[in-house]
């Protein structure tokens, strides 16, 4: 199944106001996300045929650091903070999602999605 796609960060934000991508590109670039050792994750899922290099971001605010409180949010993939934006998981613990992806150390988007399948959705109001 192809992930939900938005043509731009603005289109994604309009539909996901509780897990926004920062509007300012510089703010997007400093989010703690997964970049496969700065090489990017190869797109082998979206059907664009591009094989593009993508980053995986944990919204809102990036993947929590160990000393930060966990958040419930959305995991997305994009072309280094630019559209299109692909939704990979919604309503998940961002810490659990980060740990699952980091442990798998995927280089392809299909492997990111497989890692995220191990993360349970959280009902609103919990966590």
């Amino acid at each position: 199944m192809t992930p939900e796609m938005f043509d731009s960060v603005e289109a994604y934000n309009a539909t996901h106001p509780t897990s926004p991508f920062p509007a300012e590109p510089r703010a997007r670039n400093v989010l703690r996300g997964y970049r496969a050792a700065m090489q990017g994750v190869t797109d082998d899922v979206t059907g664009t045929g591009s094989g593009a290099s993508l980053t995986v971001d944990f919204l809102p605010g990036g993947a929590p650091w160990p000393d930060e409180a966990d958040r419930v949010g959305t995991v997305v993939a994009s072309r280094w903070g630019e559209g299109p934006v692909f939704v990979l998981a919604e309503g998940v613990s961002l810490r659990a999602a980060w740990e699952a992806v980091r442990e798998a150390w995927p280089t392809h988007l299909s492997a990111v999605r497989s890692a995220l399948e191990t993360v349970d959705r959280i009902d609103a109001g919990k966590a």
Side-chain angles (χ1 to χ4, degrees):
M1 179 175 192
T2 303
E4 182 179 21
M5 183 190 88
F6 296 89
D7 289 331
S8 66
V9 168
E10 295 78 16
Y12 165 82
N13 284 348
T15 305
H16 293 85
T18 60
S19 297
F21 229 133
E24 168 61 37
R26 285 186 194 165
R28 290 195 293 264
N29 291 334
V30 298
L31 289 174
R32 183 175 184 222
Y34 180 76
R35 292 160 177 80
M38 297 307 291
Q39 297 300 307
V41 174
T42 301
D43 178 2
D44 63 341
V45 170
T46 66
T48 63
S50 68
S53 177
L54 305 172
T55 64
V56 177
D57 286 295
F58 302 79
L59 304 172
W65 290 96
D67 62 340
E68 289 182 312
D70 194 7
R71 296 180 297 282
V72 174
T74 303
V75 181
V76 301
S78 68
R79 291 191 176 127
W80 300 85
E82 301 296 329
V85 177
F86 301 98
V87 176
L88 305 176
E90 296 180 86
V92 296
S93 156
L94 295 183
R95 183 177 316 285
W98 166 257
E99 290 173 358
V101 170
R102 190 181 56 133
E103 183 176 303
W105 202 260
T107 58
H108 288 77
L109 194 55
S110 59
V112 172
R113 291 181 70 196
S114 292
L116 291 171
E117 288 176 358
T118 67
V119 179
D120 294 328
R121 285 186 58 109
I122 299 174
D123 292 331
K126 293 184 182 178

